[in-house]
Amino acid sequence: MNPRKLPRQTLSIGYFVLVAAILFTVQSFFVPKVTELSYSDFKKRLGEGRIHEVVISDSLIRGQLSPEKGAGVPFVTVRVSDDALVPDLEKNGVTFEGQYESPFLNAIVSWVLPALVFVGIWAFAMRRMGPGAGVMAFGKSRAKIYAEKETGVMFHDVAGQDEAKEELAEIISFLKEPERYRAIGGKLPKGVLLVGPPGTGKTLLAKAVAGEASVPFFSISGSEFVELFVGMGAARVRDMFAQAEAKAPCIVFIDELDALGKARGFGGMGGHDERENTLNQLLVEMDGFDSTKGVIIVAATNRPEVLDPALLRAGRFDRQVLVDRPDREGREAILRVHAKDVKLGPDVDLKVVAQRTPGFVGADLANLINEAALLATRKGRQQVTMVDIDEAVDRVVAGLQKKNRLINADERRIVAYHETGHALVAALTKGADKVHKISIIPRGVAALGYTQQLPTEDRYLMTRKELEAKIDVLFGGRAAEQVVFGEVSTGAHNDLQRATDIVRSMVLEYGMGETLGPMTYPRQRGPGFLGGGGPSWPEQREYSEATAQLLDQETRRITEDRMARVLALLTEHRAVLDRVAAILLEKEVIEAEQFEELVKADGTGRHVA
């Protein structure tokens, strides 16, 4: 069992028992045995000439008995008043000397030193158990305190979040010049909640605020408040706010607030009492402290939908700042920040890289630049080239190349036509994203090939035509297999799943169905909508079985119409499909420029629109 999980009192008692056992063992095995004699026995043996030498103190007589055979035996006896002692010792030729015994020194040796040994071992054990592990330190906050220069982050280190920085600049101004706000009676919000998907730079922004304002920075995770022992989390909250007020002005940053601030009663289990008590204490402390002292509470979460409403009301976290995925210009700025210490070749265009990485957050882009630098080093280059960055994008998006994955010729031909089908439908469909690369090199866990499309610009709305274009492209791989081989494989499983999800969203959520008109039947989503990809909850329908049948019929109708359209399109341009697939089988990778040249004319030289 992990000793950190045991109660501290149990561990303390255990260590004391262990030390006592060790001392007893040492006493038993290593301290020499001493024979205790009565004074009469001592006088008798003195008369027999058995006493070799003695040391006389005020209360004891210690000495050595003359050996009958072998080494002498130490003895001790209690001294009594005897005027004949010294003459008897001289008469028997015994060497003797006197010794002064200090009662104070004896007390130190007998009691103080063992006590110090016990306390020292106990203190050492408590320190080894972790910071703040003593019995009186249960309620100590585990917040890490950084001086202003130790954060090492300023606003120029945070790119792609201009709107968020503008919102937070007001906090910096208040911390630097509080008199300006107090002069007109202005009060700063007590709490600022940074909301956004993982990896967008919420923690970095909080550190940058502290760095710009030159104030201490308290950093703690929401999960560090929650303890096994009842009341410890609330005690840590109180201690953290006490420390913050003592070091005001300062910034207190609580990361992963949803671990602490989840809505009370969430889950309906009694085991949540300690977390709820900790949350209650946080709410009380945020109400009680004076924001004019300059203590700013900043928290971050990517699951705001599960937070307790009391946290979000005015007077607590009353300002929410969205730290969203960056747009193309933001991605370019982030790439420049992460690439400033990397040697880039003259062919590297970060604007193009930003265009090729839609949906990437700051952490993804930092990983991308690092992967490119590692690839360049592995290949012996002195600079990072565009080829390295392209490979890094493929590694991040699709996974590592599986060079050792052997695919037989028939499967390889199916994969080539499958990926060519995706790309050709994208090239021939208005509203579809532009094809950037086609590859039949296996990557990741199960990808035998992939077709990479890149949008020409960031989009926030999609029309019905554009959604239908996405569905057509997803159906392109399966349709190509059907046109060429007359049968289909399991390779289109993920394509069908994604296409079906788009169609169901069109019918159930976007009101784009023709049967039921502009009505919506929202599906219950899983938690963590900002994170994307949380576990899904079972769908709970709020409509009748008859409506469900109509929705299923509409979904099937749209799906069959789009598949029929894609089959007709690829049958019409079968010559282009064969030509592109043949070159893909030969080269394994086709870039955008070469693909565009291949689809400009069909087998007879006619221009392909």
Side-chain angles (χ1 to χ4, degrees), residues 261-331:
K262 195 174 296 181
R264 285 166 289 187
F266 188 84
M269 298 295 290
H272 294 278
D273 286 346
E274 170 60 11
R275 182 185 56 78
E276 291 184 2
N277 290 339
T278 306
L279 172 59
N280 291 336
Q281 187 64 44
L282 176 63
L283 296 175
V284 170
E285 292 290 340
M286 291 192 70
D287 270 342
F289 82 92
D290 185 4
S291 62
T292 59
K293 294 182 179 179
V295 179
I296 308 299
I297 311 298
V298 181
T301 182
N302 62 317
R303 299 181 63 190
E305 75 280 5
V306 303
L307 294 180
D308 195 285
L311 272 175
L312 305 179
R313 74 156 175 83
R316 288 174 181 149
F317 288 106
D318 42 12
R319 176 172 294 188
Q320 298 186 26
V321 177
L322 178 62
V323 187
D324 205 354
R325 299 178 185 274
D327 56 14
R328 186 186 59 78
E329 294 182 356
R331 293 194 297 274

Side-chain angles (χ1 to χ4, degrees), residues 377-438:
T377 304
R378 188 181 306 162
K379 295 177 181 178
R381 298 193 179 102
Q382 300 300 317
Q383 294 178 322
V384 175
T385 66
M386 203 65 180
V387 175
D388 299 318
I389 292 181
D390 285 342
E391 175 62 20
V393 171
D394 292 341
R395 288 167 68 101
V396 173
V397 173
L400 299 176
Q401 285 190 15
K402 299 295 183 181
K403 298 180 180 179
N404 297 328
R405 184 179 293 173
L406 300 178
I407 304 176
N408 62 51
D410 292 337
E411 287 185 348
R412 193 165 178 270
R413 189 161 177 261
I414 292 174
V415 173
Y417 272 99
H418 182 102
E419 299 303 333
T420 302
H422 286 309
L424 189 55
V425 172
L428 302 176
T429 302
K430 185 178 181 180
D433 292 331
K434 182 180 177 181
V435 175
H436 173 66
K437 180 187 292 185
I438 318 171

Side-chain angles (χ1 to χ4, degrees), residues 407-422 438-440 448-451 476-492 495 577 581-582 584-585:
I407 304 176
N408 62 51
D410 292 337
E411 287 185 348
R412 193 165 178 270
R413 189 161 177 261
I414 292 174
V415 173
Y417 272 99
H418 182 102
E419 299 303 333
T420 302
H422 286 309
I438 318 171
S439 171
I440 57 171
L448 300 178
Y450 69 97
T451 300
R478 180 185 175 95
E481 294 179 22
Q482 191 169 336
V483 168
V484 176
F485 304 105
E487 60 179 355
V488 295
S489 70
T490 59
D495 299 331
L577 180 66
L584 184 60
L585 282 168

Side-chain angles (χ1 to χ4, degrees), residues 129-193:
M129 287 165 59
V135 175
M136 300 304 294
F138 277 129
K140 292 293 184 182
S141 171
R142 297 180 179 180
K144 299 176 182 177
I145 304 175
Y146 301 92
E148 163 262 328
K149 62 182 180 181
E150 292 176 347
T151 63
V153 182
M154 306 293 281
F155 265 177
H156 60 75
D157 298 312
V158 184
Q161 299 293 346
D162 295 337
E163 295 84 359
K165 288 195 289 187
E166 288 177 8
E167 286 288 320
L168 296 172
E170 191 176 41
I171 295 176
I172 299 171
S173 176
F174 179 87
L175 291 172
K176 285 185 174 181
E177 303 173 301
E179 295 79 9
R180 281 204 310 133
Y181 293 85
R182 293 170 186 164
I184 61 174
K187 294 182 179 179
L188 198 67
K190 289 187 177 181
V192 178
L193 182 62

Side-chain angles (χ1 to χ4, degrees), residues 1-13:
M1 180 180 291
N2 188 347
R4 293 178 184 268
K5 301 298 183 183
L6 294 174
R8 302 292 194 267
Q9 296 91 335
T10 302
L11 289 171
S12 300
I13 294 172

